Amino acid sequence: MRYNMWKQLLAILMVVSLLVGCASNGNDEAEQANTEGEAAEEQTSSEDNDSDDTYPLTIRDAMDNEVTFEEAPKKIVSLIPSNTEILFSLGLGDRVVGVSDFANYPEEAASKEKIGGQELNIEKILSLEPDVVMAHASGAHNSEQGLQQLRDAGIPVYVVQDATSFESVYDTLASVGKITGTSGKASTIVEEMKASLVEIKQKADDIPNEEKKKVFMEVSPAPEIYTTGKGTFLNEMLNTINATNAVGDQEGWIKMNNEAIVELQPEVIVTTYGYYTENPKEKVMSREGWDSVPAIKEEQVYDVHSDLVTRPGPRLIEGVNELAKAVYPDTFQ
C-alpha cells in the first residue's frame, strides 16, 4: 500500500517536472523568436536608413544657409527637374509630393502635384505640407521672396548647388542622400557614374590625335544661336570623349553669329533642341553661307536630347554616351 503511494507520488513529480520543462522551453523559444524578430526589424530599419545618416542633422546649402532636419523628410517638394531626377534615382519617388511644371522624367513624376514653373505657387506648396522644399541655386535669387515665405511658415528650404561639373554632381548626390537618409544609395550611384565615365574615357583615349574632331555645340537655334564654353557640362563631356570644343577658349554660355561660326570651321555640329524644334539637322544644313563648313559638307550634324547633357543628375552619363556616338560613331556605336 505504502509502495503504491510512493509510486503515485513519483509519477506526479515526473509529470510536474515535464510540464515545467515544456513551459521553460516554450519561454526560451518565445524569447528566441522575439529576439530574432527584433533583429530582423533592426536589419530592415538599417536597410531603409543608412547608418551614416544621423539626426538631428544640420547642413549648409548653396546659399550658405544652415538647414536643420530633425529626421529624414517624408514629404518633399522639388522646384526643378534635376532635383526631381536625383530624388527618384535615390528611390524616393513615394516621398516626392510636388514637382515643377517642367518635370518630365521619370514618367511617374508627371503624376505628382505641380507647384509652378518660373513662378512658384506658394499657396500650393504650403498646402502640401512638405518636410523640405528642394530649391536650386540657378533660380534661388529670382524666387527668394517666395522661398522666404516658406521658411517663415516653418518649412525647411534646401538650395541645391548649381553643379557645372561631374564632381559637383557627385557632391550634390551626396548632400541630397545625407538629407534624405539615403547616403548608401547615393554613394552607389556616384561610384557607378564614375566607373561608366572611366570606361568611356578609356575608349576615347584610343582615338588618334589626327582623328580628333572639332565640335560646335548649338544649344539654341537661330536667330539667337548659343553655344557652350568652359565651365559647363558640355565642355567637360567633349573633353571626356577626346573632342575639341570649337569655343573651348571662352567661358560659359556664348551667343554666336553666323560669320563667327563659319570661321570656326567645326567638323561636327551637335544640336540639343530637337525635342522642341522639328528637323534641327535640316535647319542647320540649309543655312545660307555655311557651305564651306566641314560639318555641313560631310553632313556631320546630329542632335542629342538637352535633358541628357544639361541636367545635373545620374543621366549625364547617358548624355556623354549619346554625344560620343554622334561625334565618333565608329568608336562608340
Side-chain angles (χ1 to χ4, degrees), residues 35 50 52 112 139 192 195 209 238 271 274 280 291 301 307 321 328 333:
T35 301
D50 294 291
D52 292 339
K112 300 294 183 178
E192 288 174 351
N209 283 335
L238 289 172
T271 62
D291 296 346
V301 181
D307 292 353
N321 267 314
Y328 297 115
Q333 286 290 5

Side-chain angles (χ1 to χ4, degrees), residues 187-256:
S187 296
T188 299
I189 292 172
V190 168
E191 292 309 312
E192 288 174 351
M193 290 179 71
K194 288 180 177 179
S196 297
L197 211 57
V198 167
E199 288 181 13
I200 293 169
K201 198 171 188 316
Q202 286 174 342
K203 280 186 179 182
D205 286 343
D206 291 335
I207 297 168
N209 283 335
E210 60 270 19
E211 295 180 17
K212 193 172 181 177
K213 300 287 183 70
K214 182 194 281 190
V215 182
F216 180 76
M217 299 295 307
E218 189 167 301
V219 296
S220 70
E224 294 192 346
I225 299 174
Y226 275 83
T227 189
T228 176
K230 290 184 291 186
T232 64
F233 281 119
L234 286 168
N235 187 68
E236 186 173 2
M237 289 178 176
L238 289 172
N239 290 335
T240 299
I241 67 171
N242 202 13
T244 300
N245 186 349
V247 293
D249 58 338
Q250 300 184 57
E251 191 83 28
W253 305 95
I254 309 141
K255 188 176 180 179
M256 303 288 293

Side-chain angles (χ1 to χ4, degrees), residues 238-310:
L238 289 172
N239 290 335
T240 299
I241 67 171
N242 202 13
T244 300
N245 186 349
V247 293
D249 58 338
Q250 300 184 57
E251 191 83 28
W253 305 95
I254 309 141
K255 188 176 180 179
M256 303 288 293
N257 59 45
N258 284 329
E259 293 75 15
I261 299 170
V262 171
E263 283 182 20
L264 291 172
Q265 293 288 287
E267 298 165 281
V268 180
I269 296 173
V270 178
T271 62
T272 64
Y273 47 81
Y275 73 101
Y276 67 86
T277 300
E278 289 186 9
N279 304 318
K281 177 175 180 176
E282 287 78 359
K283 285 182 170 62
V284 173
M285 292 285 298
S286 62
R287 284 177 184 159
E288 188 174 346
W290 284 41
D291 296 346
S292 65
V293 176
I296 302 300
K297 289 192 290 186
E298 299 298 325
E299 296 190 12
Q300 299 297 295
V301 181
Y302 306 94
D303 185 80
V304 297
H305 200 294
S306 175
D307 292 353
L308 297 179
V309 291
T310 60

Side-chain angles (χ1 to χ4, degrees), residues 12-299:
I12 292 170
L13 289 172
M14 288 179 65
V15 170
V16 169
S17 176
L18 182 61
L19 289 173
V20 170
C22 288
S24 176
N25 288 340
N27 288 336
D28 289 344
E29 288 174 3
E31 185 176 349
Q32 182 179 356
N34 287 335
T35 301
E36 290 174 353
E38 288 172 3
E41 188 175 344
E42 287 176 5
Q43 183 177 355
T44 302
S45 176
S46 174
E47 289 171 355
D48 289 342
N49 299 293
D50 294 291
S51 57
D52 292 339
D53 300 320
T54 56
Y55 301 89
L57 166 71
T58 298
I59 187 169
R60 198 172 290 277
D61 71 5
M63 306 305 289
D64 208 31
N65 297 315
E66 281 193 348
V67 188
T68 299
F69 299 91
E70 297 299 327
E71 61 181 359
K74 296 180 175 61
K75 296 171 70 177
I76 305 171
V77 166
S78 169
L79 303 187
I80 194 169
S82 57
N83 286 353
T84 302
E85 291 198 19
I86 288 172
L87 291 165
F88 272 86
S89 74
L90 293 172
L92 301 170
D94 58 335
R95 296 198 216 171
V96 176
V97 295
V99 298
S100 75
D101 294 350
F102 307 115
N104 58 358
Y105 186 90
E107 287 185 11
E108 302 95 288
S111 63
K112 300 294 183 178
E113 293 283 351
K114 299 298 187 291
I115 49 79
Q118 296 293 339
E119 293 188 10
L120 302 178
N121 186 337
I122 300 299
E123 289 185 7
K124 181 67 175 178
I125 296 173
L126 290 172
S127 72
L128 295 172
E129 300 181 341
D131 299 313
V132 64
V133 170
M134 293 255 175
H136 197 265
S138 62
H141 291 292
N142 297 332
S143 307
E144 183 54 36
Q145 186 176 353
L147 297 181
Q148 191 56 50
Q149 280 184 258
L150 297 173
R151 295 187 188 101
D152 292 342
I155 297 174
V157 175
Y158 182 81
V159 181
V160 175
Q161 67 172 321
D162 187 12
T164 56
S165 67
F166 282 103
E167 283 300 326
S168 52
V169 171
Y170 303 152
D171 290 342
T172 295
L173 278 158
S175 62
V176 174
K178 191 170 187 64
I179 290 167
T180 57
T182 57
S183 287
K185 178 65 173 176
S187 296
T188 299
I189 292 172
V190 168
E191 292 309 312
E192 288 174 351
M193 290 179 71
K194 288 180 177 179
S196 297
L197 211 57
V198 167
E199 288 181 13
I200 293 169
K201 198 171 188 316
Q202 286 174 342
K203 280 186 179 182
D205 286 343
D206 291 335
I207 297 168
N209 283 335
E210 60 270 19
E211 295 180 17
K212 193 172 181 177
K213 300 287 183 70
K214 182 194 281 190
V215 182
F216 180 76
M217 299 295 307
E218 189 167 301
V219 296
S220 70
E224 294 192 346
I225 299 174
Y226 275 83
T227 189
T228 176
K230 290 184 291 186
T232 64
F233 281 119
L234 286 168
N235 187 68
E236 186 173 2
M237 289 178 176
L238 289 172
N239 290 335
T240 299
I241 67 171
N242 202 13
T244 300
N245 186 349
V247 293
D249 58 338
Q250 300 184 57
E251 191 83 28
W253 305 95
I254 309 141
K255 188 176 180 179
M256 303 288 293
N257 59 45
N258 284 329
E259 293 75 15
I261 299 170
V262 171
E263 283 182 20
L264 291 172
Q265 293 288 287
E267 298 165 281
V268 180
I269 296 173
V270 178
T271 62
T272 64
Y273 47 81
Y275 73 101
Y276 67 86
T277 300
E278 289 186 9
N279 304 318
K281 177 175 180 176
E282 287 78 359
K283 285 182 170 62
V284 173
M285 292 285 298
S286 62
R287 284 177 184 159
E288 188 174 346
W290 284 41
D291 296 346
S292 65
V293 176
I296 302 300
K297 289 192 290 186
E298 299 298 325
E299 296 190 12

